[in-house]
Amino acid sequence: MGAFIIRRLLSTLLVMGLVGVFIFLLLHLSPGDPAAIIAGDNATPAQIEAIRTSLGLNDPLHVQFGRWAMRVLSGDLGISIFSNVPVATLIAQRVWPTLSLAFTTIVLAVTLALAAGVLAAWKAGSLADRLVMILSVVGFSVPVFVVGYLLIYVFAISLRWLPVQGYSPLAEGFWPWASHLILPSTALGLAYVALIARITRTAMLDVLAEDYMRTARAKGVATGPMLFKHALKSAGVPIVTVVGIGIALLIGGVVITETVFNLPGIGRLVVDAISKRDYPIIQGVILLFSGVYVIINLLVDLSYTLLDPRIRY
Amino acid sequence: MTRRATTSRRSFLKTGLAASAAVAAPGRLTAQSAPGATKTIRAVMHGDLTVLDPIWTTANMSAYHGAMLYDTLFGIDANLDTKPQMVSKWGASDDKKTWTFELRDGLKFSDGSAVTSDDVIASLRRWAARDGAGQHMMQRVADIAKKDDKTFQFVLKEPYGYLVDALGKTSTPLCYIMRKKEAETNPMEKITAYVGSGPFLFNEAETRQGVRYVYDRNPNYLPRSEPASGLAGGKVAKVDRVIFENMADSQTALAALQAGEIDFYETPPIDLIGQLEGDSNLTLEVLNKTGNIGWLRMNFLHPPFNNVDARRAMLYLLDQEDFMKATFGNPKFYKKCPSNFGCGVPMENDANTGWFKEAPSQAKAKEYLQKSGYKGEPIVLMQATNIDFMRNAADLVAGALRSIGANVQVASSDWGGVVNRRAVKAPPEQGGWNLFITWADGNAVSNPIALAGHAATGEKAWFGWPSDGKNEELRDKWAVAGSLQEKQQIARELQENAWNFVPHVWLGQWVAPTARRKNLTGMLAVPGVVPFWNAQKA
Amino acid sequence: MTVAAAELARVPPRSGLWHFVRRNPTLVGGLVVLALIALAALIAPLIAGDPIAAKPVNRLRPPSQINWLGTDQLGRDVWARTVYGARISLLVGLSVATIAMSIGLLIGLLAGFSRTVESVVMRLMDGLMAIPAILLAIAFVSLSKASVSIVVAAIALPEIPRVVRLVRSVVLTVREQPFIEAAVASGTRLPKILRRHILPATVPPLIVQATYVAASAILIEAALSFLGAGTPPEVPTWGNMIASSRVYLGLAPWTIFGPGIALALVVLAVNLVGDGLRDRLDPRIARRM
């Protein structure tokens, strides 16, 4: 098991390296760069070239990559070309809204989805089952920003129950923090409810059909605790897999939700950076997100050993 | 020479510590240190403040930022007249070649140091290095000399009537006065310290790039005694804090305004004005009465628009009404304008506007296009997809050109992509372009010198690179002209010539009302800048 | 009753279309909706007007006799744009699915058969999968110029690693089967083994995966347009129609309902088809039905 973890960590480092190369190549092989944007409206071509050189953009690619890689390995993610603020500082300033959003979305989505999936599996084949599945797929089919606008219109403008936009740090009170996150989490979470509910249902159906479940029922064990304790634990592996995938997808969905609800998170940071071609921010954030994804995958794999004793590394 | 921090263990520790410190104390200061709600204005402006050096860039947001922190030698008032601001008295010699200026008493930078001629002269040089009007002026300047700490002189090679107006113009970049230290930064690089002598202080600690920019009242600012008017008069800050919130989504900003989460929204989508008109807590007001003018730039370097007939074809082809209606809907807020210097301004005139009476005329446009020898080569039209006016306008231009049989290739990208590509002088099929769309401030357009786009100096001109010797002769004449009547006469001649060689095509003029909560009063109306002194919340 | 008798007493499944429909409602429902929309897209010129002609003077007209779904902010007919938009949106979904599946299949097969290829390729795929798909897509589109093919490539690229993993795991499973060993021992050549045994095993899960990829591609195209990194606005797609009209949600909701409902319907239909196919093709679930 220890050897497994070490092997996986080494593999993680390799993967991160690959990610770094991918992103670097994508940015630097594309036409255009930040020089013209930085130079401003009245710049001459000579001025734009001068800026390009001062940013090191005219150096050969491998030199530029080596420079950036060395920096990253010593912990320096570089400085934003536009704002002169270190990328690490920018990320640190904006990580809480993204984390908060991700957390509340997962809590919301997983709760709803597990409940829906278990219900659907328990009443397999009935109208309730069909309805739950269709409704959850509908949630998966409408773009997040449309759902977001509708929610804002209904709950924030018409009913005035919740704020329209913005983020309130937890330090300034639990309810302000939570109330700013309810609508975004709902908009974002709807898609994942579908995904997780369906997998839950399938996994639960498999488990419910197993012999040992029928035996338990025959022995007269009460249905409630039986359902949740035995079934959920066995179905844990596929469910956790999907939650892991869901978290990866979340990183993508966060980008749109942060724009619609004006949350000052990392998703917006990187989208703004892309439109300005602020390379250090783009590279730094994508590296960060990839790292998070890879580590979560590792944790998901490790959690299998807890949920299913048959799985050993 | 790169501007990066050096790599080392130290920088890792620094960034690591800085990161953990920022992470440990997320968000804002506690309630005790922030001013109360009635003393804070939360404003959403038209874009994000990406560059904090208002001399280095022509971006309007940077000009707004500059107006908070810095002061100017002169400023225009609500009637667009240039009035002294940092200057107490000034005068010219009899031969009009030596101008002497004296600074007001009590002007101080936020670090406590007094504003002296050294600071002013350094600032002027840096500004002139970046600004078109400044460059035009400096060609006629022999020297800017210091007489004493409060007095400085412009020594000119020949009389230049535009001097004082240039110092007070609101077309970007404005001539903000900085400390000598910052002003001596290489004009090709950006300043890194933000110390000004203006009515507000920049609160760097609470500012979050891309999220919010915080300004606190400068308790040591000494305003003039006259009432505030435009950028002239006494700049009295009546609130303790102003926050520029960056909200990319207009729906969200509008909803926030309606819910009272923000106080001021600079650019509500005009189609949604109706929704705001019904809300009794909100007021609409046009602060920039000369508005903006839609601008189609053509590439003079490559066919077909290197031929004047092809450019003339565009004058006859496009209907300004379409462009305005498509994005702004309500005719109350826009009008068609044939004047090369915009409408509703002193330089407006009707010279050589016969084409305007006929446009749109597909027949005439087709005729001119054929006359130019156009054989059906692809016309590369750049389209910025993330800015409504530009996106709609490009669709309309493409449709209009196709209706007269032209072959149009629309190159869509975000605005950053357009900015990158418009700087390319290569032929369109090798990464260049033929047409792109933007807009300009109405007041800036009204000035043949202040607007870089009015220069027709060929390859040294603004993107599009128009070339016409007569245009340049007349511009020089305009700059040295003394009286308003003289200037207006020369403007007529400029326009007569302009609509002959067609440097660009206007797409219509519009004003954009700002929206604010009723309890926010005292917003000053001036083009080019949205000042926040004089504003207060009840 | 004995088990055998019970077996005999079971009513054998009847053949015929009606019974197929009864047993696979989701699959059929999805297919019908998709077929209708695809048909509409094909005969677009017959049932809709000009989607591109802009007449600002007619802007934001509510649905009427002339404009079934009203007009948008440039005066273009929303019904025409929705119908023509089906072409691009369906094309995007189909292309992304096809490209991702084909490239993924190829790489997955190679990885399944060659250890060296596998170690290199799987690391590359891991790296690619680690980058958030939408960020990769935005960067790809923003840094090139916007066109339908670029958008398709940008959406397909992040989907490839998952397909590769799927194919590889199928190949690995099938390779272990005794009849493969037997085939190899009796001298059957590789291409025949591939054709006879490997490929047929990969096809069912690939098809199911393809449907989900197609559905998500259509949604991602909408998201990219929302963020300003989508298909060129000239060409109507449901994504960029919704994105450019979003300001009018309250003022002129028809500009969003047309493409919005069409989008939701197609994505729903494709997902239902995927579900139906998976239920049919997965032996465990099929048995239960």
Side-chain angles (χ1 to χ4, degrees), chain B residues 249 251 269 271-272 322 325-326 329 383 385 391-392 395-396 398 402 410 412, chain C residues 54 56 59 73-74 76 145-146 226 228 232-234 244 246-249 251:
Chain B
D249 193 277
Q251 295 266 63
D271 278 323
L272 302 180
D322 277 349
K325 194 133 185 87
Q383 174 179 42
T385 53
R391 185 187 61 239
N392 292 339
D395 280 346
L396 291 171
R402 287 185 182 129
V410 179
S412 308
Chain C
R59 74 197 293 266
Q73 64 272 25
L74 257 68
R76 298 178 291 211
K145 62 180 179 97
F226 174 76
E234 264 208 306
S244 56
R246 68 196 201 244
V247 196
Y248 304 106
L249 185 59
L251 198 68

Side-chain angles (χ1 to χ4, degrees), chain B residues 190-474:
Chain B
K190 293 179 281 190
I191 61 176
T192 48
Y194 311 109
V195 174
S197 62
F200 289 93
L201 305 166
F202 186 45
N203 189 334
E204 273 186 85
E206 296 222 27
T207 291
R208 294 279 177 271
Q209 279 292 341
V211 180
R212 86 178 76 89
Y213 305 87
V214 182
Y215 304 91
D216 293 322
R217 190 173 63 87
N218 180 356
N220 298 321
Y221 180 71
L222 213 62
R224 294 183 70 100
S225 49
E226 305 97 336
S229 170
L231 295 180
K235 299 185 187 177
V236 180
K238 298 188 178 166
V239 292
D240 290 336
R241 179 169 283 188
V242 177
I243 304 180
F244 289 175
E245 302 265 5
N246 180 29
M247 266 184 224
D249 193 277
S250 55
Q251 295 266 63
T252 309
L254 214 57
L257 183 68
Q258 290 177 294
E261 291 171 22
I262 58 173
D263 305 299
F264 178 84
Y265 184 18
E266 189 193 0
T267 48
I270 297 199
D271 278 323
L272 302 180
I273 296 286
Q275 187 179 322
L276 299 177
E277 269 165 353
D279 190 328
S280 59
N281 291 315
L282 302 179
T283 306
L284 291 169
E285 191 184 351
V286 173
L287 293 178
N288 179 357
K289 305 219 169 39
T290 46
N292 295 303
I293 302 191
W295 203 355
L296 176 72
R297 290 291 283 187
M298 302 175 282
N299 192 339
F300 272 58
L301 297 180
H302 302 287
F305 298 109
N306 56 350
N307 179 308
V308 66
D309 285 318
R311 300 196 296 270
R312 283 216 186 95
M314 299 306 286
L315 275 183
Y316 284 94
L317 178 64
L318 303 176
D319 184 2
Q320 294 187 12
E321 175 74 30
D322 277 349
F323 291 87
M324 293 296 97
K325 194 133 185 87
T327 310
F328 305 112
N330 189 339
K332 205 164 95 177
F333 296 110
Y334 64 78
K335 63 166 171 250
K336 295 163 54 157
C337 182
S339 159
N340 191 33
F341 301 105
C343 294
V345 290
M347 295 301 131
E348 176 185 357
N349 64 82
D350 60 0
N352 199 357
T353 52
W355 57 270
F356 186 64
K357 305 188 178 59
E358 284 189 58
S361 162
Q362 273 193 4
K364 260 281 174 38
K366 210 163 177 173
E367 193 191 306
Y368 272 116
L369 190 60
Q370 268 167 5
K371 200 162 151 222
S372 77
Y374 177 67
K375 298 261 178 301
E377 314 85 86
I379 298 179
V380 175
L381 164 63
M382 293 197 285
Q383 174 179 42
T385 53
N386 55 336
I387 298 180
D388 284 350
F389 173 72
M390 296 180 188
R391 185 187 61 239
N392 292 339
D395 280 346
L396 291 171
V397 170
L401 274 172
R402 287 185 182 129
S403 74
I404 58 168
N407 173 3
V408 181
Q409 249 176 40
V410 179
S412 308
S413 63
D414 63 4
W415 175 240
V418 173
V419 166
N420 258 296
R421 196 168 175 172
R422 71 179 180 180
V424 176
K425 286 184 173 167
E429 61 273 10
Q430 289 170 27
W433 57 276
N434 290 108
L435 297 169
F436 81 90
I437 292 159
T438 178
W439 69 75
D441 173 66
N443 191 46
V445 165
S446 75
N447 191 310
I449 299 296
L451 186 77
H454 276 312
T457 46
E459 303 239 355
K460 296 210 295 238
W462 204 61
F463 309 107
W465 309 290
S467 178
D468 187 88
K470 180 132 186 252
N471 191 65
E472 292 312 292
E473 261 178 55
L474 288 170

Side-chain angles (χ1 to χ4, degrees), chain C residues 11-78:
Chain C
V11 180
R14 302 246 287 273
S15 61
L17 194 58
W18 174 239
H19 290 277
F20 181 80
V21 173
R22 276 198 70 189
R23 285 171 56 113
N24 303 284
T26 41
L27 178 59
V28 172
L31 281 174
V32 166
V33 171
L34 272 182
L36 282 174
I37 295 187
L39 184 66
L42 274 173
I43 60 170
L46 298 175
I47 55 171
D50 185 345
I52 304 205
K55 280 201 87 60
V57 70
N58 288 335
R59 74 197 293 266
L60 299 178
R61 294 260 161 88
S64 65
Q65 286 268 25
I66 325 168
N67 305 104
W68 294 352
L69 285 178
T71 59
D72 70 4
Q73 64 272 25
L74 257 68
R76 298 178 291 211
D77 181 33
V78 177

